[in-house]
Short mmCIF file of all heavy atoms in Angstrom, two decimals:
data_model
loop_
_atom_site.label_atom_id
_atom_site.label_comp_id
_atom_site.label_asym_id
_atom_site.label_seq_id
_atom_site.Cartn_x
_atom_site.Cartn_y
_atom_site.Cartn_z
N ILE O 14 77.09 64.52 157.80
CA ILE O 14 77.96 64.76 158.94
C ILE O 14 77.89 63.60 159.93
O ILE O 14 78.90 63.16 160.48
CB ILE O 14 77.58 66.10 159.63
CG1 ILE O 14 77.79 67.26 158.66
CG2 ILE O 14 78.39 66.32 160.90
CD1 ILE O 14 77.12 68.56 159.09
N ALA O 15 76.68 63.11 160.12
CA ALA O 15 76.50 61.96 161.05
C ALA O 15 77.28 60.74 160.56
O ALA O 15 77.90 60.03 161.37
CB ALA O 15 75.00 61.62 161.16
N LEU O 16 77.27 60.50 159.26
CA LEU O 16 77.98 59.36 158.71
C LEU O 16 79.50 59.50 158.91
O LEU O 16 80.17 58.57 159.33
CB LEU O 16 77.67 59.23 157.23
CG LEU O 16 76.28 58.67 156.87
CD1 LEU O 16 75.92 58.98 155.45
CD2 LEU O 16 76.23 57.16 157.14
N VAL O 17 80.03 60.69 158.61
CA VAL O 17 81.48 60.89 158.75
C VAL O 17 81.87 60.86 160.22
O VAL O 17 82.89 60.30 160.61
CB VAL O 17 81.92 62.19 158.06
CG1 VAL O 17 83.43 62.41 158.27
CG2 VAL O 17 81.59 62.19 156.61
N TYR O 18 81.01 61.45 161.09
CA TYR O 18 81.28 61.40 162.53
C TYR O 18 81.33 59.95 162.97
O TYR O 18 82.22 59.55 163.76
CB TYR O 18 80.17 62.15 163.30
CG TYR O 18 80.41 62.11 164.80
CD1 TYR O 18 81.20 63.06 165.44
CD2 TYR O 18 79.87 61.07 165.57
CE1 TYR O 18 81.45 63.00 166.79
CE2 TYR O 18 80.11 61.00 166.93
CZ TYR O 18 80.89 61.97 167.54
OH TYR O 18 81.15 61.89 168.88
N THR O 19 80.41 59.09 162.51
CA THR O 19 80.39 57.69 162.86
C THR O 19 81.66 56.97 162.38
O THR O 19 82.23 56.14 163.10
CB THR O 19 79.14 57.02 162.31
OG1 THR O 19 77.98 57.71 162.78
CG2 THR O 19 79.03 55.55 162.74
N LEU O 20 82.06 57.26 161.17
CA LEU O 20 83.27 56.66 160.62
C LEU O 20 84.50 57.06 161.45
O LEU O 20 85.40 56.24 161.67
CB LEU O 20 83.45 57.07 159.15
CG LEU O 20 82.49 56.40 158.16
CD1 LEU O 20 82.49 57.16 156.83
CD2 LEU O 20 82.88 54.92 157.92
N ASN O 21 84.53 58.29 161.89
CA ASN O 21 85.68 58.81 162.68
C ASN O 21 85.64 58.39 164.11
O ASN O 21 86.70 58.33 164.78
CB ASN O 21 85.73 60.35 162.62
CG ASN O 21 86.10 60.89 161.26
OD1 ASN O 21 86.34 60.14 160.33
ND2 ASN O 21 86.09 62.21 161.12
N ASN O 22 84.44 58.13 164.64
CA ASN O 22 84.26 57.85 166.06
C ASN O 22 83.38 56.62 166.25
O ASN O 22 82.32 56.70 166.89
CB ASN O 22 83.64 59.05 166.79
CG ASN O 22 84.44 60.32 166.57
OD1 ASN O 22 85.35 60.62 167.32
ND2 ASN O 22 84.04 61.12 165.57
N PRO O 23 83.78 55.47 165.73
CA PRO O 23 82.89 54.30 165.75
C PRO O 23 82.50 53.87 167.16
O PRO O 23 81.41 53.30 167.35
CB PRO O 23 83.72 53.22 165.03
CG PRO O 23 85.13 53.68 165.09
CD PRO O 23 85.07 55.17 165.07
N GLN O 24 83.37 54.14 168.14
CA GLN O 24 83.07 53.72 169.51
C GLN O 24 82.01 54.60 170.16
O GLN O 24 81.42 54.21 171.17
CB GLN O 24 84.35 53.71 170.34
CG GLN O 24 84.88 55.10 170.75
CD GLN O 24 85.47 55.94 169.62
OE1 GLN O 24 85.62 55.46 168.50
NE2 GLN O 24 85.85 57.17 169.95
N ARG O 25 81.72 55.77 169.60
CA ARG O 25 80.79 56.71 170.24
C ARG O 25 79.35 56.51 169.75
O ARG O 25 78.41 56.89 170.46
CB ARG O 25 81.18 58.18 169.92
CG ARG O 25 82.54 58.64 170.39
CD ARG O 25 82.73 58.50 171.88
NE ARG O 25 81.80 59.22 172.73
CZ ARG O 25 82.02 60.41 173.30
NH1 ARG O 25 83.14 61.02 173.07
NH2 ARG O 25 81.10 60.96 174.10
N VAL O 26 79.16 55.99 168.56
CA VAL O 26 77.82 55.92 167.96
C VAL O 26 77.28 54.50 168.09
O VAL O 26 77.84 53.54 167.59
CB VAL O 26 77.87 56.34 166.48
CG1 VAL O 26 76.48 56.27 165.84
CG2 VAL O 26 78.42 57.78 166.35
N SER O 27 76.13 54.39 168.78
CA SER O 27 75.51 53.08 168.96
C SER O 27 74.46 52.77 167.89
O SER O 27 74.21 51.64 167.54
CB SER O 27 74.85 53.00 170.34
OG SER O 27 73.91 54.03 170.53
N ARG O 28 73.83 53.84 167.38
CA ARG O 28 72.80 53.68 166.35
C ARG O 28 72.81 54.93 165.48
O ARG O 28 73.20 56.00 165.93
CB ARG O 28 71.40 53.51 166.97
CG ARG O 28 71.23 52.20 167.72
CD ARG O 28 69.89 52.13 168.43
NE ARG O 28 69.76 53.11 169.52
CZ ARG O 28 68.85 53.01 170.48
NH1 ARG O 28 67.98 52.02 170.47
NH2 ARG O 28 68.79 53.92 171.43
N LEU O 29 72.32 54.76 164.26
CA LEU O 29 72.35 55.85 163.27
C LEU O 29 71.01 55.95 162.62
O LEU O 29 70.40 54.93 162.25
CB LEU O 29 73.43 55.53 162.24
CG LEU O 29 73.91 56.57 161.24
CD1 LEU O 29 74.43 57.82 161.93
CD2 LEU O 29 74.98 55.95 160.36
N VAL O 30 70.48 57.17 162.47
CA VAL O 30 69.22 57.41 161.80
C VAL O 30 69.46 58.46 160.71
O VAL O 30 69.93 59.58 161.03
CB VAL O 30 68.10 57.88 162.74
CG1 VAL O 30 66.81 58.11 161.99
CG2 VAL O 30 67.89 56.86 163.87
N LEU O 31 69.18 58.15 159.46
CA LEU O 31 69.38 59.04 158.35
C LEU O 31 68.05 59.33 157.67
O LEU O 31 67.26 58.42 157.44
CB LEU O 31 70.34 58.44 157.32
CG LEU O 31 71.70 58.00 157.82
CD1 LEU O 31 72.47 57.32 156.68
CD2 LEU O 31 72.50 59.18 158.37
N THR O 32 67.81 60.58 157.33
CA THR O 32 66.60 60.95 156.62
C THR O 32 66.95 61.99 155.56
O THR O 32 67.50 63.06 155.87
CB THR O 32 65.50 61.41 157.58
OG1 THR O 32 64.32 61.73 156.88
CG2 THR O 32 65.92 62.58 158.44
N GLY O 33 66.73 61.64 154.29
CA GLY O 33 67.12 62.53 153.20
C GLY O 33 68.60 62.89 153.24
O GLY O 33 68.97 64.03 152.93
N SER O 34 69.44 61.93 153.57
CA SER O 34 70.86 62.23 153.78
C SER O 34 71.63 62.42 152.46
O SER O 34 71.40 61.70 151.49
CB SER O 34 71.50 61.08 154.56
OG SER O 34 72.89 61.30 154.75
N SER O 35 72.56 63.37 152.50
CA SER O 35 73.56 63.43 151.42
C SER O 35 74.71 62.48 151.81
O SER O 35 74.68 61.85 152.87
CB SER O 35 74.05 64.86 151.24
OG SER O 35 74.68 65.36 152.40
N GLY O 36 75.68 62.38 150.94
CA GLY O 36 76.79 61.45 151.17
C GLY O 36 77.01 60.49 150.02
O GLY O 36 78.10 59.99 149.82
N LEU O 37 75.95 60.28 149.26
CA LEU O 37 76.06 59.47 148.05
C LEU O 37 75.72 60.30 146.82
O LEU O 37 76.40 60.27 145.81
CB LEU O 37 75.15 58.25 148.11
CG LEU O 37 75.54 57.16 149.12
CD1 LEU O 37 74.48 56.05 149.12
CD2 LEU O 37 76.91 56.59 148.82
N PHE O 38 74.60 61.02 146.92
CA PHE O 38 74.12 61.83 145.80
C PHE O 38 73.11 62.84 146.34
O PHE O 38 72.38 62.53 147.25
CB PHE O 38 73.43 60.98 144.74
CG PHE O 38 72.64 61.79 143.73
CD1 PHE O 38 73.27 62.34 142.64
CD2 PHE O 38 71.28 62.02 143.91
CE1 PHE O 38 72.55 63.11 141.72
CE2 PHE O 38 70.55 62.79 143.00
CZ PHE O 38 71.21 63.31 141.90
N GLU O 39 73.12 64.03 145.75
CA GLU O 39 72.01 64.92 146.01
C GLU O 39 71.89 65.87 144.83
O GLU O 39 72.86 66.30 144.25
CB GLU O 39 72.20 65.72 147.32
CG GLU O 39 73.41 66.62 147.33
CD GLU O 39 73.46 67.52 148.54
OE1 GLU O 39 72.40 67.85 149.08
OE2 GLU O 39 74.57 67.94 148.91
N ASP O 40 70.64 66.18 144.48
CA ASP O 40 70.35 67.22 143.48
C ASP O 40 70.32 68.52 144.28
O ASP O 40 69.29 68.97 144.72
CB ASP O 40 69.00 66.96 142.82
CG ASP O 40 68.66 68.02 141.81
OD1 ASP O 40 69.55 68.82 141.46
OD2 ASP O 40 67.50 68.12 141.39
N SER O 41 71.49 69.09 144.46
CA SER O 41 71.65 70.17 145.42
C SER O 41 71.16 71.51 144.87
O SER O 41 71.10 71.71 143.67
CB SER O 41 73.13 70.27 145.79
OG SER O 41 73.52 71.57 146.09
N MET O 42 70.87 72.42 145.77
CA MET O 42 70.57 73.79 145.38
C MET O 42 71.82 74.46 144.82
O MET O 42 71.76 75.52 144.24
CB MET O 42 70.08 74.59 146.58
CG MET O 42 68.70 74.18 147.08
SD MET O 42 68.25 75.21 148.49
CE MET O 42 66.51 74.84 148.66
N GLY O 43 72.98 73.84 145.03
CA GLY O 43 74.24 74.50 144.72
C GLY O 43 74.40 74.88 143.26
O GLY O 43 75.07 75.84 142.94
N GLY O 44 73.80 74.12 142.31
CA GLY O 44 74.03 74.38 140.90
C GLY O 44 73.54 75.74 140.45
O GLY O 44 74.24 76.51 139.84
N SER O 45 72.28 76.05 140.78
CA SER O 45 71.71 77.29 140.31
C SER O 45 71.26 78.17 141.49
O SER O 45 70.44 79.02 141.34
CB SER O 45 70.50 77.00 139.42
OG SER O 45 69.57 76.23 140.13
N PHE O 46 71.80 77.92 142.63
CA PHE O 46 71.30 78.55 143.86
C PHE O 46 72.52 78.94 144.68
O PHE O 46 73.50 78.23 144.67
CB PHE O 46 70.48 77.50 144.63
CG PHE O 46 69.75 78.06 145.81
CD1 PHE O 46 68.47 78.55 145.69
CD2 PHE O 46 70.34 78.13 147.05
CE1 PHE O 46 67.78 79.06 146.76
CE2 PHE O 46 69.68 78.66 148.15
CZ PHE O 46 68.37 79.10 147.98
N PRO O 47 72.51 80.02 145.37
CA PRO O 47 71.43 80.97 145.55
C PRO O 47 71.41 82.02 144.44
O PRO O 47 72.43 82.41 143.94
CB PRO O 47 71.75 81.63 146.90
CG PRO O 47 73.01 81.02 147.42
CD PRO O 47 73.64 80.24 146.29
N LYS O 48 70.22 82.46 144.08
CA LYS O 48 70.02 83.54 143.12
C LYS O 48 69.61 84.76 143.89
O LYS O 48 68.53 84.84 144.50
CB LYS O 48 68.93 83.14 142.11
CG LYS O 48 68.81 84.10 140.93
CD LYS O 48 67.69 83.67 140.01
CE LYS O 48 68.18 82.74 138.93
NZ LYS O 48 67.12 82.47 137.91
N ARG O 49 70.48 85.73 143.98
CA ARG O 49 70.30 86.85 144.89
C ARG O 49 69.16 87.77 144.47
O ARG O 49 68.99 88.04 143.30
CB ARG O 49 71.59 87.63 145.01
CG ARG O 49 72.73 86.83 145.62
CD ARG O 49 73.92 87.69 145.90
NE ARG O 49 73.63 88.66 146.94
CZ ARG O 49 74.40 89.69 147.26
NH1 ARG O 49 75.53 89.84 146.61
NH2 ARG O 49 74.05 90.52 148.20
N GLY O 50 68.42 88.24 145.46
CA GLY O 50 67.45 89.30 145.21
C GLY O 50 66.16 88.82 144.56
O GLY O 50 65.31 89.70 144.26
N ASN O 51 66.01 87.55 144.30
CA ASN O 51 64.79 87.05 143.62
C ASN O 51 63.97 86.23 144.61
O ASN O 51 64.18 85.03 144.78
CB ASN O 51 65.22 86.19 142.41
CG ASN O 51 64.03 85.81 141.54
OD1 ASN O 51 62.90 85.67 142.02
ND2 ASN O 51 64.29 85.62 140.27
N TYR O 52 63.04 86.88 145.25
CA TYR O 52 62.26 86.26 146.32
C TYR O 52 61.43 85.11 145.80
O TYR O 52 61.34 84.04 146.43
CB TYR O 52 61.37 87.29 147.02
CG TYR O 52 60.70 86.78 148.27
CD1 TYR O 52 61.32 86.85 149.51
CD2 TYR O 52 59.42 86.23 148.21
CE1 TYR O 52 60.73 86.37 150.66
CE2 TYR O 52 58.81 85.74 149.35
CZ TYR O 52 59.44 85.84 150.57
OH TYR O 52 58.85 85.35 151.72
N ALA O 53 60.80 85.31 144.64
CA ALA O 53 59.95 84.27 144.08
C ALA O 53 60.74 82.99 143.78
O ALA O 53 60.27 81.87 144.03
CB ALA O 53 59.28 84.76 142.79
N TYR O 54 61.97 83.17 143.31
CA TYR O 54 62.82 82.03 143.01
C TYR O 54 63.21 81.28 144.29
O TYR O 54 63.16 80.05 144.36
CB TYR O 54 64.09 82.50 142.27
CG TYR O 54 65.04 81.36 141.95
CD1 TYR O 54 64.82 80.54 140.86
CD2 TYR O 54 66.17 81.13 142.75
CE1 TYR O 54 65.69 79.49 140.53
CE2 TYR O 54 67.03 80.10 142.45
CZ TYR O 54 66.80 79.28 141.35
OH TYR O 54 67.65 78.25 141.07
N VAL O 55 63.59 82.04 145.32
CA VAL O 55 63.95 81.43 146.59
C VAL O 55 62.76 80.67 147.17
O VAL O 55 62.88 79.54 147.66
CB VAL O 55 64.44 82.48 147.59
CG1 VAL O 55 64.60 81.94 149.00
CG2 VAL O 55 65.78 83.08 147.10
N LYS O 56 61.58 81.27 147.08
CA LYS O 56 60.37 80.61 147.60
C LYS O 56 60.12 79.29 146.86
O LYS O 56 59.78 78.26 147.47
CB LYS O 56 59.15 81.54 147.41
CG LYS O 56 57.87 80.98 147.99
CD LYS O 56 56.72 81.98 147.88
CE LYS O 56 55.45 81.36 148.52
NZ LYS O 56 54.31 82.31 148.48
#
């Protein structure tokens, strides 16, 4: 979100700090997640 905000509002952002950012690649929880009702899996 910070990256897209900066691209959309270049005059507003003076510096950018990214940590573990998505935007290029992520091994997301989305593929097999969320699995409902399975507390051990969520943990």
Side-chain angles (χ1 to χ4, degrees):
I14 297 164
L16 286 162
V17 179
Y18 180 87
T19 304
L20 287 163
N21 290 358
N22 304 274
Q24 75 289 355
R25 299 302 301 262
V26 179
S27 57
R28 293 175 293 198
L29 192 57
V30 180
L31 305 175
T32 181
S34 177
S35 61
L37 291 177
F38 166 84
E39 62 172 333
D40 178 15
S41 149
M42 290 180 169
S45 57
F46 189 91
K48 189 182 269 188
R49 297 189 64 191
N51 188 331
Y52 188 88
Y54 179 79
V55 170
K56 183 175 182 179

